[in-house]
Amino acid sequence: MTAISSNDTLLTSREVSIKAAEDIYRTQQRRARMRRRLLPVAGILALIGAWAAVVYILKVPTFVAPSPQLVAATLVSKFSILMANLWPTAVEALSGFLLGNLSAIIIATVFVHKKSMEQAFFPVVVLVNSIPVVAKAPILVLLLGNGMEPKIAIAALVCFFPTLVNMVRGLESVNPQSLELMKVLSASKTEIFFKLRLLNSVPYLFSALKIAASTAVIGAIVGEWIGSTTGIGALIIQSTYNFDSAMLYATVIVGSAFSVTFFLTITLIERLVIRWQPIAPT
């Protein structure tokens, strides 16, 4: 009875130690999650505080740089105008995002299976990508008119190259042993593509999509600078010419908020889709 009691005491002691270690681990994880959420908020508040202090201490004129309070008031009073101009920019950015990434995925698939096509046309893609967006935009306006089409094309072009490069790398960097095993098992090219290459490329694809989520919005706004009467880009130009700095800052904030929301949406989809490897904390 004494031996059994001693073992029970030992087990109880180990369980208590394990539970204490688990509690410490959960507490550390909870603090780390809280820190990741609070630090960005603290950084934004510090930036706004520094902005307000500089404007107040240096007595910067309103037409040069408005105070955060004035920008916040403009965001509230001109909310309907800002949302009406955000809508066309959002449509252009989302359409360009889909068009550019879908084209990049298809061409990357062709490049991986036809090396001669990659050797012939990849330098052309690099050449087109090296042309600045502000130089490509007028050409697209001349070709496609002054509607939404050139803005969508610009957004698609800025999304295209990062996705193409990442997809080619993802489709090619498969495990050689897995590839050899599938060939030994007489797997067809279609089976190798869908069951090995495509799955391997998904993390690379999401890395590119997160870049494209931000650049698509930038592409749409740059396209609106060339020639448009509506949209975030057009509103930025109008506010600049009218020396309406509060409206200018409010428009930039709305455009940035949409870009961040787009990026976070892609990150959330990545977390839901990719479950076979850890995702870096954001």
Side-chain angles (χ1 to χ4, degrees):
M1 291 294 292
T2 305
I4 293 173
S5 176
S6 175
N7 287 337
D8 288 345
T9 303
L10 182 61
L11 286 173
T12 305
S13 175
R14 289 183 60 186
E15 288 173 356
V16 170
S17 300
I18 292 171
K19 188 174 184 309
E22 288 177 346
D23 290 342
I24 292 173
Y25 176 76
R26 289 196 186 96
T27 302
Q28 290 175 341
Q29 291 296 309
R30 196 161 48 245
R31 287 177 179 170
R33 282 197 300 271
M34 189 68 71
R35 193 182 304 116
R36 285 200 299 271
R37 290 169 185 167
L38 290 180
L39 283 178
V41 176
I44 292 171
L45 292 177
L47 176 65
I48 294 173
W51 171 13
V54 168
V55 171
Y56 179 76
I57 293 171
L58 300 181
K59 300 188 184 310
V60 180
T62 303
F63 69 89
V64 175
S67 65
Q69 301 92 319
L70 182 57
V71 175
T74 305
L75 279 170
V76 174
S77 62
K78 303 290 180 60
F79 185 76
S80 58
I81 297 174
L82 291 167
M83 290 300 105
N85 283 276
L86 176 62
W87 174 248
T89 303
V91 171
E92 293 157 5
L94 291 172
S95 302
F97 177 85
L98 294 174
L99 181 63
N101 287 300
L102 188 60
S103 304
I105 292 169
I106 293 172
I107 293 176
T109 305
V110 173
F111 280 179
V112 169
H113 289 93
K114 295 287 185 184
K115 283 297 172 188
S116 58
M117 295 288 286
E118 182 180 4
Q119 291 164 359
F121 291 104
F122 197 80
V124 177
V125 174
V126 175
L127 178 66
V128 173
N129 185 65
S130 66
I131 302 172
V133 175
V134 290
K136 282 183 281 195
I139 298 172
L140 291 170
V141 170
L142 290 175
L143 292 173
L144 302 174
N146 204 25
M148 276 192 170
E149 291 84 357
K151 290 83 174 177
I152 293 172
I154 294 168
L157 282 173
V158 296
C159 294
F160 176 78
F161 191 72
T163 304
L164 176 68
V165 172
N166 277 276
M167 273 303 290
V168 169
R169 184 177 179 189
L171 291 171
E172 286 181 338
S173 62
V174 294
N175 187 327
Q177 294 176 341
S178 300
L179 185 61
E180 188 63 29
L181 177 62
M182 293 199 76
K183 289 180 179 177
V184 169
L185 295 174
S186 301
S188 66
K189 283 189 175 181
T190 305
E191 289 173 324
I192 292 174
F193 176 75
F194 283 105
K195 295 182 179 178
L196 183 62
R197 291 189 185 278
L198 193 58
L199 282 177
N200 186 72
S201 68
V202 172
Y204 295 87
L205 174 62
F206 273 101
S207 297
L209 292 181
K210 286 191 284 188
I211 297 171
S214 301
T215 55
V217 180
I218 295 171
I221 291 174
V222 171
E224 289 167 351
W225 286 355
I226 304 302
S228 180
T229 55
T230 58
I232 293 296
L235 202 55
I236 288 173
I237 296 293
Q238 292 170 14
S239 303
T240 305
Y241 286 155
N242 294 330
F243 293 97
D244 190 352
S245 63
M247 190 64 177
L248 173 62
Y249 278 56
T251 307
V252 171
I253 290 172
V254 168
S256 299
F258 174 69
S259 183
V260 171
T261 304
F262 198 2
F263 177 88
L264 293 177
T265 302
I266 299 297
T267 304
L268 178 61
I269 295 172
E270 180 187 22
R271 286 178 180 273
L272 295 174
V273 171
I274 302 179
R275 294 181 176 276
W276 60 89
Q277 68 176 24
I279 302 288
T282 58

